[in-house]
Amino acid sequence: MKIKTISLAISFAVSALSPHTMAKNADIEVIQVTGTYFNDYQVDNASGAMRTNTSLLETAQSVTVIPETIIDEQLATTLGEVLVNDASLSPGSKQRNREVFISRGFELSSSNGYLRDGHQHWSHYQQPIETLSHVEVIKGPSSALYGQSAPGGLVNMVTKKPTQTSLFDFGADTDQNGSTRFMLDAGGSIADKLSYRSVLVKQDVVYDREYANGESRERDRFLGYLAIDYTMTEDLVINVYYDQTNDKAGLDTGAWLDSNGDVIGSTKDIYDFSWAFTDITVENIGTKIDYFINSDWQVTFGYNEQTFERQRFESAPKKPSDYVVGDSYTSAPYDRFDDWQFKTMFFDVKGELEIGDTQHNLLIGANSLDYYYGQLRVKSSPVDYVPGDVEPSKPGISYKTDDSLYTSEYEFYGFYFQDLITINDHWQVALGGRVDRQNKENADSDSFVPKAGVLYHPIENATIYLNYSEGFEPQQSETLNDDTDKNHGMDLEAVTSEQIEIGVKWQVSDRLMLESAVFDIEKSGVLVTESLIDDPTHDTITTQAGLQRHKGVELSAQGAITDTLFIMASTMYLDATFERDSNYEGKTPMDAPQWSASVWSRYELTQSLALNAGLLYQGERYADNNNNITKDSYYRLDLGATYTTKISDHDVDFRLNVENALDEDYLAGGGVNNVTVGDERSARFEIKVSI
């Protein structure tokens, strides 16, 4: 049965919340509470960094948690709109209806840069934010617990869980372009041992950029999510879930830049043709089983099967190197079908024990990934086009006529351990490691990665830590198929990364968390090819001598400053350099600004009215790894307000957000032929009813 049918049936069958009642007694003094203080900006723990619900003060690593409250206040609909709240992340390209992110200067890969509830998650699309309770940004190499991953870190998306109490929220929002989104979030108990959570979303987006024929780009998205908890016994809880995303959008591969870093032509011009589109269907189905052996020990098993199918009908415009307004450009249309299948599994045993005078918080586990990819593709003849002419018609091609199938498969599995050792009230030590095996044609790989941390607590609510961690990314086991290279055919080790991080965390009066971190990351093992002059047999020699080094400082504050003022703020200074590289030695990676900052705040004027203000800053960034083209720095001011009232005894929220309130012109992520033009001033209005 389709998720749409299941979710609708269960969501609308739930009974409404019971009316709130109060007992009255003339002999009891009534105290009226006039403050609205509730610290929903502050988060005390995160599950991703340690694979356990460990306090952030006991985590020897920089971790940022973006709570649901902020996601809702910002009316976020994409992961990019959420991750702007952490200055360590900068936006990359947004072409082809997906988002790319850079963490501490390193791009996050679609295959290994993202987690969902601790599972590696294929993220080649815009993630459905409405299913998430919060987002965790884990900084630095994290292969010890999760396997292959990039040096910058991981983004762990934590989904909403079934609730015992009744929940029924309905929201609708719109903007000045005519975009709409309708969302239903329902939960509660079905029976004594059964509870559920269901989310339904229907969204239609109209963008302000236009195709050559004058049509606006549009996007149509449906999301259905259902999770059920079954408490079989007091010690055994079984969770099953299913979600489906259908997302179809016109293509926009981005604007083009000239040699000065300025957009060529109008910032509203789309070079793709209006008939180009991408159409995806993503399904996740899985289970999580928790068994509590006793009060100290727990066993958890998780399985997720993700299917990602996409048709992409491209016009594929190509930017000429010397393009100016009025010139022609060539498009090379094709129709392509992609099929990705991600099967992930983990088994964790975690618990506490005492050995002598020390307390140990142990984790022993294993996880695996089974990856499959298949592609069908049919090309059409190239088309030369001059802007202003009649748009070429859609070619009569279909991927279904392709009689070949390109496939790629691999699997990896690993065993990991971790021990958080509490020596006394002031000192803790965290030790861990992973043994990993990848099976892939021409890319078999074995790796061992350690991690270690020392934590010192000078006072109860403060931590000073030192962290060492490693990461790895397997690569092909042979160099390029070129026998003119002296090392042709050599076995290659995985690309590795190492990080040393020193940080301070201070939870101020249980209200506000202040953090700082200094990090130094080295990525080594990248292929470097050098020319040979005096060798009569070979032209080049390729070695794994590449080195990329990123050093930086991060500062952040999150929580309540007063009973009515809340803040989430961060800033980062980054020095990123290709220290040894065949092409980019001494250069800075693109979209890695030296300075970045982000602030979001809420001020409660009354119990019913709250105001928000946010500021986003991105410093100068390069639009290419050769550092020939620079994108200017920019500020973006966002404003918002929420008014809460009761209508027919139901809570109703009215929300107005204004993004880019000062209407600044700016360029976000992307390079010379796929840069994202920042949106002009835009307003969104939402009504949400809680029954």
Side-chain angles (χ1 to χ4, degrees), residues 36 52 55 71 129 161 205 238 246 248 363 393 456 506 603 661:
T36 60
T52 59
S55 165
I71 296 174
I129 298 305
K161 301 301 186 287
V205 184
I238 301 174
N246 302 113
K248 184 174 182 178
L363 167 69
S393 58
Y456 173 63
W506 181 26
Y603 180 66

Side-chain angles (χ1 to χ4, degrees), residues 47-73:
S47 60
M50 303 282 283
R51 291 191 70 92
T52 59
N53 287 321
T54 303
S55 165
L56 292 176
L57 288 173
E58 295 185 314
T59 302
Q61 189 173 2
S62 179
V63 181
T64 297
V65 182
I66 305 168
E68 185 179 0
T69 296
I70 292 177
I71 296 174
D72 290 344
E73 286 179 352

Side-chain angles (χ1 to χ4, degrees), residues 113-229:
Y114 303 85
L115 306 171
R116 196 177 96 151
D117 295 327
H119 289 276
Q120 282 201 313
H121 186 74
W122 181 248
S123 297
H124 214 63
Y125 66 109
Q126 294 196 25
Q127 297 299 308
I129 298 305
E130 296 86 357
T131 64
L132 304 183
S133 66
H134 61 275
V135 176
E136 302 171 353
V137 182
I138 305 166
K139 317 290 181 61
S142 300
S143 291
L145 296 181
Y146 294 103
Q148 49 189 265
S149 59
L154 295 167
V155 173
N156 184 31
M157 298 170 285
V158 183
T159 57
K160 296 176 179 178
K161 301 301 186 287
T163 62
Q164 293 290 331
T165 56
S166 295
L167 168 71
F168 197 94
D169 291 342
F170 177 77
D173 61 62
T174 186
D175 65 17
Q176 80 275 14
N177 292 328
S179 305
T180 59
R181 180 178 61 158
F182 301 94
M183 184 178 78
L184 175 67
D185 186 355
S189 296
I190 303 173
D192 290 342
K193 297 183 177 182
L194 210 59
S195 58
Y196 81 100
R197 189 71 174 268
S198 180
V199 176
L200 291 173
V201 177
K202 180 64 174 71
Q203 182 184 23
D204 295 285
V205 184
V206 180
Y207 297 91
D208 58 3
R209 282 169 56 82
E210 297 180 345
Y211 296 103
N213 64 357
E215 294 181 6
S216 296
R217 178 180 175 236
E218 297 184 4
R219 177 188 180 204
D220 183 9
R221 179 174 69 106
F222 166 78
L223 164 67
Y225 168 77
L226 176 65
I228 296 176
D229 274 354

Side-chain angles (χ1 to χ4, degrees), residues 622-653:
Y622 290 109
D624 62 333
N625 285 333
N626 281 314
N627 296 177
N628 293 325
I629 299 177
T630 302
K631 294 184 290 186
D632 292 336
S633 62
Y634 68 89
Y635 294 88
R636 194 186 82 192
L637 176 66
D638 300 334
L639 301 174
T642 301
Y643 179 73
T644 301
T645 187
K646 280 189 176 291
I647 299 177
S648 300
D649 205 31
H650 300 309
D651 290 332
V652 180
D653 293 342

Side-chain angles (χ1 to χ4, degrees), residues 218-515:
E218 297 184 4
R219 177 188 180 204
D220 183 9
R221 179 174 69 106
F222 166 78
L223 164 67
Y225 168 77
L226 176 65
I228 296 176
D229 274 354
Y230 176 49
T231 306
M232 183 172 293
T233 69
E234 291 183 356
D235 302 322
L236 181 61
V237 179
I238 301 174
N239 170 270
V240 293
Y241 58 86
Y242 175 87
D243 65 78
Q244 182 181 110
T245 298
N246 302 113
D247 195 347
K248 184 174 182 178
L251 284 178
D252 180 0
T253 50
W256 294 350
L257 300 181
D258 62 21
S259 58
N260 296 318
D262 298 322
V263 173
I264 300 173
S266 171
T267 58
K268 293 185 180 296
D269 289 343
I270 299 177
Y271 292 97
D272 305 83
F273 297 138
S274 62
W275 39 260
F277 69 89
T278 179
D279 188 359
I280 70 167
T281 298
V282 185
E283 292 181 302
N284 287 280
I285 185 169
T287 185
K288 179 171 172 279
I289 301 172
D290 290 303
Y291 177 65
F292 299 89
I293 300 172
N294 53 43
S295 59
D296 294 325
W297 288 90
Q298 175 185 349
V299 175
T300 302
F301 170 79
Y303 176 80
N304 186 80
E305 187 169 327
Q306 182 184 22
T307 302
F308 180 106
E309 294 181 342
R310 178 186 70 183
Q311 181 187 6
R312 203 170 79 197
F313 202 113
E314 286 257 19
S315 57
K318 305 296 182 183
K319 176 184 177 295
S321 58
D322 55 351
Y323 182 79
V324 296
V325 175
D327 286 354
S328 66
Y329 62 89
T330 301
S331 291
Y334 62 85
D335 189 20
R336 168 175 163 178
F337 178 78
D338 302 286
D339 177 16
W340 283 279
Q341 296 179 25
F342 251 52
K343 297 178 182 178
T344 57
M345 183 168 54
F346 69 80
F347 182 81
D348 288 347
V349 179
K350 46 195 170 185
E352 299 178 358
L353 59 84
E354 291 185 10
I355 300 177
D357 294 330
T358 60
Q359 181 76 29
H360 296 255
N361 192 328
L362 286 170
L363 167 69
I364 302 172
N367 62 357
S368 66
L369 167 66
D370 187 344
Y371 169 94
Y372 168 83
Y373 171 63
Q375 180 190 120
L376 297 172
R377 178 170 170 165
V378 173
K379 297 180 181 180
S380 180
S381 300
V383 177
D384 288 329
Y385 177 70
V386 177
D389 290 352
V390 177
E391 180 184 89
S393 58
K394 180 180 177 181
I397 56 175
S398 172
Y399 71 85
K400 297 179 181 179
T401 62
D402 186 2
D403 57 3
S404 64
L405 176 65
Y406 168 79
T407 62
S408 175
E409 299 181 68
Y410 70 87
E411 63 179 8
F412 77 76
Y413 55 89
F415 302 91
Y416 47 85
F417 71 93
Q418 177 181 267
D419 188 5
L420 177 61
I421 306 168
T422 301
I423 299 172
N424 53 42
D425 290 341
H426 295 289
W427 290 97
Q428 291 179 299
V429 176
L431 300 173
R434 176 189 182 89
V435 177
D436 188 272
R437 169 70 181 176
Q438 173 176 279
N439 297 323
K440 182 179 181 181
E441 185 177 356
N442 295 326
D444 287 349
S445 176
D446 294 287
S447 300
F448 172 76
V449 286
K451 75 169 189 174
V454 178
L455 304 98
Y456 173 63
H457 308 284
I459 58 176
E460 182 180 359
N461 294 324
T463 300
I464 302 171
Y465 69 88
L466 172 65
N467 164 276
Y468 174 82
S469 60
E470 293 187 5
F472 68 94
E473 299 170 273
Q475 57 184 330
Q476 293 294 326
S477 59
E478 293 185 355
T479 57
L480 296 175
N481 186 22
D482 183 2
D483 57 12
T484 64
D485 190 280
K486 188 172 183 177
N487 284 340
H488 166 65
M490 71 176 179
D491 290 333
L492 296 179
E493 301 293 333
V495 175
T496 60
S497 54
E498 300 179 358
Q499 173 185 264
I500 296 177
E501 178 179 287
I502 301 173
V504 178
K505 303 180 183 183
W506 181 26
Q507 189 168 319
V508 184
S509 303
D510 296 328
R511 298 162 63 93
L512 179 69
M513 177 75 83
L514 303 179
E515 296 187 53

